Amino acid sequence: MNDVYSVVLESVGTRPLLTMKFIMEITGIGLGDAKNMVDEVPSIVATEMDIDEACELRDGLEYIGNVVTIPELEMW
């Protein structure tokens, strides 16, 4: 099993502004980068996270209506 995981935003739901705000708060990136992630899906939101962090980020993004994957978990 992997020690590091990435989180991929596959599609954005009906709340893109909330998604951008959430991504900015969690990752610390700026508005322009967050907007690019939302506009250019699929996009990698974060990399080199431990499993708990990756799942927390995925769950938060899914809660606000997005489709998110952790590719390393998809392999199992």
Side-chain angles (χ1 to χ4, degrees), residues 28-43:
I29 64 172
L31 177 62
D33 290 333
K35 183 177 182 334
N36 287 340
M37 281 185 191
V38 168
D39 289 344
E40 299 172 9
V41 291
S43 57

Side-chain angles (χ1 to χ4, degrees), residues 6-12 19-20 23 27 29 32-47 57 61 66-71:
S6 55
V7 178
V8 178
L9 181 63
E10 298 290 345
S11 71
V12 178
T19 300
M20 285 189 295
I23 290 171
T27 64
I29 64 172
D33 290 333
K35 183 177 182 334
N36 287 340
M37 281 185 191
V38 168
D39 289 344
E40 299 172 9
V41 291
S43 57
I44 299 171
V45 177
T47 59
L57 178 55
L61 287 166
N66 302 291
V67 176
V68 183
T69 60
I70 300 174

